Amino acid sequence: MKERMIPSSCPYCGHTFEIKRDTFVIAGMNPQIDQRLEEGTYFTHQCSHCHKLYYLEQPFLYRDPKKKYILVLSQQKHIENLPPDEVVIHCQNALQFLFCFRVLSRNLNVRLVLQKKQQLEQYTHKKAIFDTYDDQSHCLWFIVDDQPMAIRLKNTEIYDIVKKY
């Protein structure tokens, strides 16, 4: 893990501050960070001035050498010295990062889960948040308006749900 001071300002009231945050994490090294990523709260910050919650999007690299992936949240397009045998996924914002983390930590295919998420959003006209995959019933579970919704995979998709890049 690598920590550094991150300058930031509240998008609501403009309050400026610096916060000490991790910028590089390896899976399993800090179970607290892994848990917060799983819960979707890692990038959440509450302003000490106006007390509103928002995503604090700082440069962040998460590496899981066992599952062979690296997630990057950064404006920097190229990062040197990354292992060549691991898939690197660049995320544009915290929500993309958290989505990819939830999918990849379950060894699932990001493209297929994203496709199913988009289909559900088109059908419901509401935002869907990926929750989990049930390999017994072959269903992807999403949260829509605080309600669980499942999408059963077609027989042809069951093989493809396991992570492939």
Side-chain angles (χ1 to χ4, degrees), residues 3-165:
E3 287 186 334
R4 72 175 205 182
M5 295 301 287
I6 308 281
S8 190
S9 63
C10 174
Y12 297 104
C13 70
H15 174 69
T16 58
F17 60 94
E18 284 192 349
I19 187 168
K20 191 175 192 178
R21 295 298 292 256
D22 293 295
T23 57
F24 175 74
V25 174
I26 296 176
M29 297 285 287
N30 185 329
Q32 201 172 22
I33 290 175
D34 291 339
Q35 181 65 31
R36 290 195 61 207
L37 287 167
E38 176 63 32
E39 293 168 350
T41 61
Y42 182 78
F43 297 102
T44 305
H45 181 74
Q46 183 177 25
C47 177
S48 62
H49 188 258
C50 71
H51 306 291
K52 291 189 179 181
L53 287 174
Y54 64 94
Y55 285 113
L56 181 65
E57 295 184 353
Q58 87 261 0
F60 187 66
L61 187 143
Y62 183 89
R63 180 173 175 234
D64 191 328
K66 289 181 183 173
K67 294 181 181 177
K68 302 278 187 202
Y69 72 85
I70 299 170
L71 290 175
V72 178
L73 178 59
S74 175
Q75 300 304 317
Q76 188 176 338
K77 298 293 180 198
H78 180 73
I79 300 172
E80 294 185 21
N81 301 323
L82 295 178
D85 65 331
E86 295 180 24
V87 172
V88 178
I89 297 178
H90 289 269
C91 301
Q92 295 178 0
N93 58 49
L95 289 176
Q96 282 182 357
F97 189 99
L98 294 169
F99 169 79
C100 289
F101 176 83
R102 292 183 69 89
V103 172
L104 292 171
S105 67
R106 290 164 174 76
N107 290 322
L108 301 177
N109 180 324
V110 172
R111 286 185 183 96
L112 182 57
V113 176
L114 182 59
Q115 176 187 17
K116 295 300 179 182
K117 176 184 181 301
Q118 290 169 338
Q119 288 173 355
L120 182 60
E121 289 174 342
Q122 286 179 336
Y123 176 75
T124 62
H125 302 287
K126 297 180 180 180
K127 184 172 174 46
I129 299 169
F130 173 70
D131 186 44
T132 194
Y133 174 65
D134 179 353
D135 60 349
Q136 298 295 318
S137 62
H138 305 294
C139 289
L140 290 168
W141 284 90
F142 296 87
I143 305 298
V144 179
D145 272 352
D146 295 325
Q147 297 297 314
M149 293 188 80
I151 295 181
R152 185 180 301 271
L153 297 178
K154 299 174 190 169
N155 287 339
T156 56
E157 297 170 325
I158 292 170
Y159 173 76
D160 291 336
I161 193 62
V162 177
K163 182 174 62 176
K164 291 180 186 171
Y165 298 101

